[in-house]
Amino acid sequence: HGTRPLARLDALGVVGPRLVAVHSVHLEAGEIDLLAAKGASVAHCPSSNLKLASGIAPVAQMLARGLNVGLGTDGAASSNDLDMFAAMRLAALLHKVAARDPRAVPAKAVVEMATIGGAKALGLDGLTGSLEVGKLADCVILDRDILTCPDEEIRETTAIATFVGGKLTAGSLDGLLKQ
């Protein structure tokens, strides 16, 4: 059709709030602006992009232009695991190198991508993705001692307790709450 893929999708009326553009490693500035203006989202899967050598998504530019970015793992076949903590770490580090700026894609932005950004991409931000009154309370309580020890890796075993929909589904709060 003689156009870039996103231009073709836009001409077909596909680009809008329900579009989740996965990977998006080859977007140009105007395409980022188009996605942001139309309320679309990007699913960023840094581990998969690195393993498959498909490119580095311009996440810093996406966020700067107001484009919603959710964070994902893509799947075990293309990223070796489904570890969201690893995806968060990669996203935080990768974009600092890509931008040659240690302030690019700060930790707060990465946490937002992994939580409310993903929920918004799926149209679920009114239900989940942040801890607010009236939303499902999905959260994980992590072992603070592991988080402050740089030699330890954050893994699922670091979780003390996991809540899904406000209900404790794994772990225990024993010893955490003052009586």
Side-chain angles (χ1 to χ4, degrees):
H1 294 276
T3 63
R4 290 183 48 86
L6 190 59
R8 178 71 177 140
L9 290 174
D10 190 39
L12 293 171
V14 174
V15 180
R18 294 183 59 192
L19 176 69
V20 180
V22 182
H23 303 292
S24 301
V25 296
H26 300 293
L27 291 180
E28 296 176 351
E31 293 170 322
I32 294 170
D33 292 336
L34 173 66
L35 289 170
K38 298 265 183 140
S41 295
V42 166
H44 176 46
C45 305
S47 182
S48 173
N49 298 151
L50 290 172
K51 180 180 178 180
L52 301 176
S54 55
I56 299 173
V59 171
Q61 294 91 331
M62 292 175 186
L63 295 174
R65 287 181 159 86
L67 178 57
N68 181 61
V69 180
L71 187 64
T73 61
D74 196 36
S78 63
S79 69
N80 292 344
D81 60 34
L82 301 173
D83 187 341
M84 279 297 289
F85 287 113
M88 291 169 66
R89 184 172 195 274
L90 275 176
L93 295 174
L94 176 64
H95 299 293
K96 288 169 179 38
V97 170
R100 297 183 190 275
D101 181 355
R103 297 164 300 171
V105 190
K108 182 180 187 296
V110 173
V111 170
E112 288 173 353
M113 288 166 37
T115 56
I116 193 67
K120 183 177 179 183
L122 298 174
L124 299 174
D125 53 314
L127 182 66
T128 191
S130 58
L131 294 176
E132 298 179 52
V133 174
K135 287 189 175 185
L136 297 175
D138 298 343
C139 68
V140 176
I141 298 173
L142 302 173
D143 184 339
R144 182 179 63 181
D145 292 333
I146 297 294
L147 294 175
T148 58
C149 180
D151 296 331
E152 296 289 337
E153 287 190 35
I154 298 173
R155 295 282 179 210
E156 62 276 358
T157 55
T158 307
I160 294 172
T162 302
F163 292 85
V164 176
K167 294 181 175 52
L168 181 66
T169 59
S172 170
L173 296 178
D174 293 341
L176 290 178
L177 302 175
K178 294 181 180 179
Q179 303 278 327

